[in-house]
Amino acid sequence: MKVVIVGNGVAGVTTARLAVERDPSLDVTIYSEEPYHYYSRPRLVDLVGGQVTPADIQVYPEEWYAERHIRTVLNTRVTHLEPAEHRITLPSGETVSYDRLVLATGARAWVPPIAGADAPGVYTLRTMDDAVALRDAATPGRRVLVLGGGLLGLEVAAALSGRGVEVTVVEVFPRLLPRQLDQEGAEVLEERIERNGVEILTGDSCSAIEPEGPARVCKMKSGGMLEADLVVVSAGARSNVALAQEADIVCARGIVVDEHLQTSAPDVYAVGDAAEFEGRVWGIIPAALAEARLAAAQVTGDESATYHDIVPSTTLKVTGIEVTSIGEVNPETPGAVEIRAVRPGEGVYDKLVLRDGKVVGAIMVGSRANLRAVNLLMSRGTDVSAYQEELLQDGFDLLALAQQRTPA
Ligand SMILES: Cc1cc2nc3c(=O)[nH]c(=O)nc-3n(C[C@H](O)[C@H](O)[C@H](O)COP(=O)(O)OP(=O)(O)OC[C@H]3O[C@@H](n4cnc5c(N)ncnc54)[C@H](O)[C@@H]3O)c2cc1C
């Protein structure tokens, strides 16, 4: 059985690893447009912060692939796909046939239509090359404007600030981390980040970037101007669908897959940031891992398992501030109960969202003390309604409740 995987990010390489574990006789080849073996994308932030080198973040040594008989072809973009012929084309014009194909093409940084965003001095962060370029340009003492106060924007801001770079973050929404936090949680986080020396501007955005001598000037929608030495655009990612789309495989925001991760073409699967399931592209590693596990089963002939969407869970550490967001955090439909505990002096904010007496979402800013308990309560579907008033009160033993002991 010949399996071809396009893309050597976490989704592609995990699919290969689990597939050969299931069937060591598989003939697996991974093609990668990037010239590097699989590396940890989250650790690109540490690279920008100067804490690690490119070699440090490579996940497996070369022998790892050889031992598993996984062939890797780096620096080679798959240019064309013919599902009816079961073959792909490489830039040299060579064609390669497959029995099963896994599209793990990931995503790329998205840059909104801002005039001047394609000029020198404007950066994005998605690949190793992006990270090296940004690290080398953002030397201590320079002024950096980060456009986007989402997870990645805040992590990059913290990494640069830690190296003595002067950082301002601009977020178009009225609050930070609009997808993961609510208003109160974002306020607690913002105050703590500013205390650490990063300036935050919310409710504004950049409409044009213009050069001014060696510096850049961002013209803001509010009418103001912000000057910086360089600009980092962190406005989200878009799935790489071109290869599939050009082969007439059904795509929307991502490559559309069913519960077997099968695309609209026979024997072609999609996983990770490239794949869209039930209208959603998660763009996070837990989803990529869950999909890779299932795709490995599919390509080795086990079609019994089906994909169930994950509960999104994010944890980040912005200059040492723990922020966790799980499940439904900003209820949009009636029937949800929100319970909050705020300790502004300590920079701590906790929130639980309940439906039918069960925890369906949580925000934790500044402390992860309740993380284990919340994960257990959510995965077990424990009915907490008898304790609703006390859940986040000081001294209440949430973990005991989660472990089905009597809370003190
Ligand atoms: C800086 C940063 C920090 C992050 N931090 C976190 C975090 O803390 N937690 C979390 O859950 N997620 C995080 N993410 C998101 C996470 O990295 C992605 O969800 C994950 O990388 C998706 O994996 P993937 O294998 O689907 O795609 P990718 O990692 O994007 O890999 C896809 C690969 O396919 C290659 N490719 C594309 N098209 C072709 C082609 N035609 N031919 C050959 N090769 C091709 C691409 O070049 C790329 O190397 C972060 C992302 C970034 C950029």
Side-chain angles (χ1 to χ4, degrees):
M1 171 80 71
K2 203 169 165 193
V3 177
V4 166
I5 299 176
V6 187
N8 76 337
V10 61
V13 173
T14 307
T15 303
R17 173 173 69 81
L18 297 176
V20 297
E21 264 174 29
R22 295 176 73 103
D23 179 357
S25 73
L26 278 188
D27 173 357
V28 178
T29 306
I30 311 180
Y31 291 90
S32 166
E33 184 179 10
E34 289 190 70
Y36 311 100
H37 275 297
Y38 162 44
Y39 57 86
S40 162
R41 264 180 227 288
R43 300 211 67 200
L44 291 176
V45 176
D46 301 330
L47 200 149
V48 169
Q51 290 138 332
V52 295
T53 65
D56 294 335
I57 66 170
Q58 182 173 315
V59 178
Y60 300 123
E62 239 163 84
E63 315 83 82
W64 184 91
Y65 298 92
E67 281 159 16
R68 284 159 186 77
H69 307 289
I70 298 171
R71 245 188 322 274
T72 50
V73 185
L74 304 181
N75 212 4
T76 303
R77 178 180 173 76
V78 174
T79 54
H80 194 55
L81 160 61
E82 294 163 281
E85 276 73 34
H86 278 59
R87 71 179 178 213
I88 57 165
T89 307
L90 306 180
S92 60
E94 183 195 345
T95 57
V96 177
S97 64
Y98 62 81
D99 297 309
R100 302 268 159 93
L101 178 72
V102 179
L103 297 174
T105 49
R108 63 191 181 286
W110 182 67
V111 178
I114 301 171
D118 52 355
V122 183
Y123 295 79
T124 54
L125 180 59
R126 179 75 198 182
T127 65
M128 183 83 88
D129 289 346
D130 293 343
V132 169
L134 179 57
R135 178 199 64 187
D136 293 348
T139 46
R142 299 200 90 189
R143 297 158 306 164
V144 174
L145 202 56
V146 177
L147 303 181
L151 283 170
L152 186 53
L154 292 182
E155 292 205 350
V156 171
L160 290 172
S161 167
R163 281 178 57 210
V165 174
E166 235 180 79
V167 187
T168 302
V169 176
V170 178
E171 167 56 46
V172 62
F173 268 79
R175 62 171 195 264
L176 293 177
L177 295 184
R179 280 167 62 193
Q180 290 84 9
L181 294 183
D182 60 2
Q183 186 62 35
E184 288 104 314
E187 278 168 17
V188 171
L189 178 66
E190 185 172 329
E191 201 197 299
R192 285 197 59 169
I193 293 177
E194 290 203 313
R195 245 191 273 157
N196 289 342
V198 173
E199 193 186 348
I200 307 278
L201 295 173
T202 52
D204 204 353
S205 62
C206 169
S207 51
I209 304 170
E210 290 174 0
E212 186 152 304
R216 319 272 122 207
V217 169
C218 281
K219 290 192 165 167
M220 307 303 291
K221 290 254 163 70
S222 61
M225 305 261 215
L226 291 174
E227 198 180 297
D229 296 307
L230 43 121
V231 178
V232 181
V233 180
S234 180
R238 292 288 181 274
S239 304
N240 289 321
V241 298
L243 183 66
Q245 214 160 30
E246 179 242 39
D248 287 333
I249 292 175
V250 174
C251 295
R253 286 181 56 219
I255 305 168
V256 174
V257 292
D258 65 12
E259 71 277 18
H260 299 288
L261 300 179
Q262 173 97 48
T263 69
S264 62
D267 300 319
V268 181
Y269 301 84
V271 287
D273 283 14
E276 173 177 325
F277 177 70
E278 292 183 344
R280 255 201 295 248
V281 178
W282 281 115
I284 50 173
I285 290 169
L289 293 174
E291 291 167 8
R293 194 166 304 121
L294 188 69
Q298 298 288 324
V299 299
T300 48
D302 175 0
E303 289 167 8
S304 59
T306 53
Y307 181 69
H308 300 285
D309 219 354
I310 59 153
V311 174
S313 166
T314 322
T315 298
L316 87 161
K317 215 171 173 184
V318 187
T319 50
I321 310 160
E322 307 269 10
V323 179
T324 303
S325 166
I326 311 174
E328 185 179 359
V329 292
N330 285 304
E332 283 169 11
T333 51
V337 176
E338 299 177 58
I339 302 166
R340 296 180 169 85
V342 197
R343 281 175 277 150
E346 297 163 48
V348 172
Y349 174 73
D350 273 326
K351 167 169 154 177
L352 295 176
V353 179
L354 313 187
R355 280 192 189 274
D356 302 324
K358 294 173 184 167
V359 180
V360 294
I363 294 174
M364 292 163 235
V365 177
S367 163
R368 293 172 73 187
N370 285 333
L371 181 59
R372 190 157 160 243
V374 169
N375 276 331
L376 273 176
L377 290 170
M378 287 180 72
S379 62
R380 291 179 173 170
T382 308
D383 188 333
V384 297
S385 43
Y387 301 97
Q388 193 167 308
E389 304 307 318
E390 303 150 77
L391 290 171
L392 291 179
Q393 277 180 9
D394 264 353
F396 183 79
D397 194 344
L398 202 61
L399 187 59
L401 177 61
Q403 292 174 330
Q404 287 157 348
R405 294 182 276 123
T406 309

